[in-house]
Amino acid sequence: MTAERRLLTSAYTDLIQAPGTDEARWRAWDGWPSMPRYALPEGGRVVVAAAHPDDEVLGAGGTVALLAAAKVALTVVSVTDGEGSHPHSARITPERLAEVRARELREALDELGARNAEVVRLRLPDTGVEVHEEHLTGELTRLLAGAALCLAPWTGDVHGDHEAVGRAALAAARVTCVPCRLYPVWLWHWAEPGDARVPWETASRIMLPATVQKRKRAAVDRFTSQIRPLGPGPQDAVVLPPEELAHHLRGWEVVFA
């Protein structure tokens, strides 16, 4: 890793580890009403790419539920298995954690009504996606052929894996001429309402009915390895505490063009 890349990775970690923006501030933001609604496809196939199992549910789980209810075919791409979420755990090995998170994702998709979704595990290394970005672009190009839409992590999310997956998805979408929209995950933690670092002018909202919000809540609850501690020590701590989850349980989701 170059010195420049080490500095960038450190900056990412600092932003994510720092205290986040309270969800009450986001809910009170007066910028929401001016954000246009995004029209989802009513047929065909949608590819939902995620850097780690749970990203797609946190950022676009309600959207997945809406698409599943509309009988739109779904391909969910787990770029990594999320095996690096607890690298120093004495309770679980990375190999075992990968299988746990894959099972949690399938259970979450069932909660969203997407039992028939195709799940593709690419098994790239957690925290190392950028090194394999060219390969990932090729894999996504193959998977996007004939799709109606691609959903992928936002390229400004301040997480190296998220951004690499977003870049690869955009590149694959250009090759295949498939529309691509990017969903944020960590943005709600490190940014603030109206933040100049965020391209709000390209943002649109997908509104979630109460029934879909309930489905998403149940889906999020399936990721026990991330929302509950694996053990008593700091190496087994919760990755997504309640204040973080609150950002993802609104009555809408946001995508960037």
Side-chain angles (χ1 to χ4, degrees):
M1 183 184 293
T2 66
E4 180 182 5
R5 183 61 191 162
R6 280 195 297 271
L7 286 171
L8 185 56
T9 300
S10 176
Y12 283 1
T13 302
D14 289 347
L15 279 171
I16 290 175
Q17 295 298 331
T21 301
D22 192 279
E23 174 59 11
R25 291 186 59 199
W26 283 112
R27 302 233 179 183
W29 185 34
D30 62 5
W32 298 120
S34 62
M35 204 173 284
R37 307 289 177 89
Y38 183 71
L40 293 169
E42 298 178 356
R45 183 171 61 92
V46 172
V47 176
V48 185
H52 319 95
D54 76 357
D55 293 335
E56 65 290 282
V57 174
L58 294 170
T63 300
V64 168
L66 290 171
L67 291 167
K71 308 300 183 186
V72 174
L74 291 161
T75 298
V76 177
V77 184
S78 289
V79 174
T80 82
D81 285 328
E83 72 278 4
S85 68
H86 293 81
H88 306 297
S89 175
R91 295 297 185 97
I92 192 168
T93 65
E95 294 76 18
R96 174 61 182 150
L97 184 55
E99 295 310 311
V100 167
R101 297 194 69 178
R103 186 193 72 240
E104 290 172 344
L105 172 59
R106 177 51 76 183
E107 292 173 351
L109 291 172
D110 287 352
E111 295 286 4
L112 295 173
R115 181 182 298 272
N116 295 325
E118 175 190 22
V119 177
V120 179
R121 294 170 65 183
L122 297 182
R123 294 182 169 86
L124 295 185
D126 193 353
T127 74
V129 175
E130 183 182 39
V131 178
H132 304 274
E133 197 170 321
E134 184 175 351
H135 170 73
L136 175 58
T137 299
E139 290 290 318
L140 291 176
T141 299
R142 176 178 62 83
L143 291 166
L144 280 178
L149 175 67
C150 175
L151 296 171
W154 178 44
T155 53
D157 211 34
V158 186
H159 187 298
D161 283 352
H162 292 202
E163 296 187 357
V165 174
R167 290 192 300 267
L170 286 174
R174 284 193 292 269
V175 171
T176 55
C177 299
V178 172
C180 187
R181 291 295 181 272
L182 306 175
Y183 60 85
V185 176
W186 284 108
L187 176 155
W188 312 116
H189 176 85
W190 57 259
E192 298 181 349
D195 201 310
R197 296 169 292 180
V198 179
W200 300 113
E201 69 279 3
T202 74
S204 52
R205 284 201 293 173
I206 298 165
M207 305 305 295
L208 309 180
T211 53
V212 171
Q213 293 176 52
K214 184 177 180 180
R215 278 189 175 275
K216 184 175 181 179
R217 171 77 256 191
V220 169
D221 284 345
R222 289 293 185 169
F223 292 104
T224 55
S225 70
Q226 307 300 297
I227 67 174
R228 296 189 179 91
L230 299 179
Q235 70 274 20
D236 292 311
V238 169
V239 176
L240 297 167
E243 61 269 22
E244 194 64 43
L245 293 179
H247 299 316
H248 304 288
L249 298 174
R250 305 173 186 142
W252 60 88
E253 292 170 342
V254 173
V255 291
F256 294 106

